[in-house]
């Protein structure tokens, strides 16, 4: 898919290899399609909490769109800066969406089955992911815009590795927290009457596990890619096999992220979770009054278009609130 560094056009300032235009066009189209699909599903299910997925798809689309421009305008710097930043940061947004989806699952199924309250998941893991996003964005833009500055490339490498390492560690910890909740809730006798709803949760868990595995694999690839970079005095280009060849980016990054988003399009969270956080699988509500949270079984006015009845737990669980 890409030639070696030695065959690159002397005027090419954007790439250390001969980039493939058709591949950039193909992934621009693919990410554009899945972005439209995700947007349509979010509108259909009224799932405002899926806005992070919208941003992730948009960044991938913009990343490949500007990559096309960078390929066609090999002496112009800004397209490759925008492209590299978007493609590096987008998966971190997808990881944040995974945190939010599983947080919603925990709220819906019952926080008592988790070792960490779902409200803390948003504060801890999403907060750490935001820091990782900012770090990777800064490092990516610095590296893409170094233009032969050896010191800037070295600093960018350290910044990127810090952001990627934080993302891998944070996501790894969250993965075990999620597995523990899944096992405990799956075995809970109290949830046996809600088998139909739990089937929907199983689909979301499968999508999450696939997404988590692919995001982790991608993050490990990017960590190895930037860790192996060598800077040679007098050489304007950083040296490294993964960095100087195009095919690893598509195989170990772009394809993996596309598959991850695809599974959340097939099993969209909006089809199995209430649009607003607080409604539980058993028909009770986890209410928020200021900073206090408590469970209530009937003192709250039922949401619009939802009937409160023991027999109608399925409708209650999936009612739009």
């Amino acid at each position: 898919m890409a030639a070696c560094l030695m065959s690159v056009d002397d005027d090419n300032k954007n790439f250390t290899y001969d980039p493939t235009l058709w591949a950039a066009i193909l992934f621009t189209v693919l990410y554009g399609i899945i972005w439209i699909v995700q947007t349509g599903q979010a509108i259909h299910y009224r799932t405002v909490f899926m806005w992070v997925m919208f941003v992730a798809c948009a960044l991938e689309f913009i990343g490949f769109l500007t990559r096309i421009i960078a390929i066609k305008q090999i002496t112009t710097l800004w397209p490759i800066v925008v492209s590299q930043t978007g493609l590096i940061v987008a998966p971190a947004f997808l990881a944040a969406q995974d945190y939010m989806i599983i947080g919603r699952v925990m709220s819906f199924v019952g926080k008592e089955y988790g070792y960490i309250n779902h409200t803390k998941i948003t504060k801890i893991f999403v907060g750490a992911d935001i820091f990782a996003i900012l770090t990777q964005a800064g490092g990516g833009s610095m590296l893409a815009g170094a233009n032969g500055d050896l010191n800037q490339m070295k600093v960018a490498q350290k910044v990127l590795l810090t952001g990627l390492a934080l993302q891998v560690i944070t996501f790894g910890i969250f993965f075990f927290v999620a597995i523990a909740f899944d096992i405990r809730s799956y075995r809970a006798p109290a949830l046996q009457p809600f088998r139909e709803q739990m089937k929907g949760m199983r689909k979301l868990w499968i999508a999450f596990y696939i997404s988590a595995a692919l995001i982790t694999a991608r993050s490990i690839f990017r960590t190895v890619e930037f860790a192996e970079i060598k800077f040679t005095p007098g050489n304007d280009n950083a040296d490294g096999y993964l960095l100087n060849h195009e095919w690893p980016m598509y195989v170990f990054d772009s394809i993996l992220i596309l598959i991850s988003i695809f599974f959340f399009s097939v099993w969209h969270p909006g089809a199995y979770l209430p649009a607003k956080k607080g409604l539980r699988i058993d028909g009770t509500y986890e209410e928020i009054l200021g900073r206090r949270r408590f469970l209530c079984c009937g003192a709250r006015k039922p949401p619009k278009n939802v009937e409160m009845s023991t027999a109608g737990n399925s409708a209650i669980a999936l009612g739009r609130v």
Side-chain angles (χ1 to χ4, degrees):
M1 182 173 288
C4 295
L5 179 62
M6 297 300 293
S7 65
V8 178
D9 191 323
D10 292 337
D11 293 329
N12 188 349
K13 296 182 179 180
N14 289 334
F15 303 94
T16 55
Y17 48 78
D18 289 329
T20 310
L21 180 60
W22 68 262
I25 294 174
L26 174 62
F27 277 84
T28 300
V29 173
L30 291 176
Y31 275 107
I33 292 172
I34 206 161
W35 184 19
I36 293 172
V37 170
Q38 279 288 330
T39 302
Q41 289 178 317
I43 293 173
H44 174 72
Y45 293 115
R46 289 184 282 174
T47 48
V48 179
F49 67 89
M50 292 295 291
W51 69 268
V52 185
M53 181 72 79
F54 176 88
V55 174
C57 293
L59 286 173
E60 290 284 355
F61 174 77
I62 293 171
F64 280 106
L65 183 63
T66 50
R67 184 178 179 85
I68 295 174
I69 299 173
I71 293 173
K72 291 185 176 182
Q73 301 178 14
I74 57 176
T75 60
T76 305
L77 185 60
W78 73 263
I80 192 63
V81 173
V82 175
S83 176
Q84 288 291 83
T85 303
L87 296 180
I88 289 173
V89 170
F93 276 91
L94 186 57
Q97 185 66 81
D98 280 0
Y99 296 144
M100 295 175 71
I101 291 172
I102 297 305
R104 291 274 178 161
V105 171
M106 291 179 174
S107 174
F108 181 56
V109 174
K111 64 180 182 180
E112 60 269 22
Y113 302 109
Y115 291 106
I116 299 179
N117 191 297
H118 62 85
T119 58
K120 293 182 179 179
I121 286 178
T122 301
K123 296 177 181 178
I124 297 173
F125 293 103
V126 175
D129 199 62
I130 290 173
F131 180 77
I133 289 172
L134 295 175
T135 306
Q136 292 177 54
S141 60
M142 287 176 63
L143 185 63
N147 200 22
D149 188 329
L150 191 63
N151 291 328
Q152 182 171 327
M153 288 191 288
K154 288 182 178 180
V155 173
Q157 181 188 36
K158 293 177 181 179
V159 173
L160 270 170
L161 287 175
T162 300
L164 288 166
L166 177 62
Q167 183 180 338
V168 172
I169 293 172
T170 303
F171 205 71
I173 295 172
F174 175 77
F175 185 73
F176 286 104
V177 171
I179 288 179
F181 181 92
D182 184 21
I183 293 174
R184 293 183 70 186
S185 61
Y186 180 78
R187 294 175 177 176
L191 295 175
Q192 294 305 311
F194 310 102
R195 293 178 182 176
E196 288 303 315
Q197 293 96 320
M198 292 301 291
K199 286 180 180 178
M201 297 305 100
R202 181 51 46 198
K203 293 176 182 178
L204 293 182
W205 280 112
I206 293 173
F208 164 73
Y209 289 136
I210 293 173
S211 177
L214 296 178
I215 291 174
T216 302
R218 176 266 175 193
S219 297
I220 292 174
F221 156 69
R222 284 294 189 179
T223 303
V224 173
E225 177 189 27
F226 293 119
E228 71 159 1
I229 294 177
K230 297 178 181 178
F231 303 101
T232 306
N235 185 0
D236 290 344
N237 294 314
D239 190 24
Y241 180 85
L242 297 177
L243 183 69
N244 293 339
H245 292 77
E246 185 177 35
W247 70 266
M249 181 200 74
Y250 285 102
V251 174
F252 298 116
D253 188 319
S254 306
I255 293 177
L256 301 188
I257 299 305
L258 186 65
I259 294 173
S260 179
I261 298 173
F262 171 78
F263 275 95
F264 276 120
S265 299
V266 174
W267 296 319
H268 193 273
Y272 310 103
L273 294 172
K276 282 191 176 181
K277 205 171 186 178
L279 189 58
R280 289 166 50 105
I281 196 171
D282 59 1
T284 59
Y285 297 89
E286 186 177 13
E287 297 210 8
I288 307 175
L289 291 179
R291 296 185 178 181
R292 296 180 58 193
R293 285 179 170 267
F294 60 93
L295 291 182
C296 173
C297 298
R300 179 180 180 230
K301 184 179 178 180
K304 187 178 180 180
N305 297 329
V306 177
E307 295 295 331
M308 289 294 293
S309 68
T310 305
N313 276 319
S314 179
I316 292 172
L318 296 179
R320 299 291 157 223
V321 295

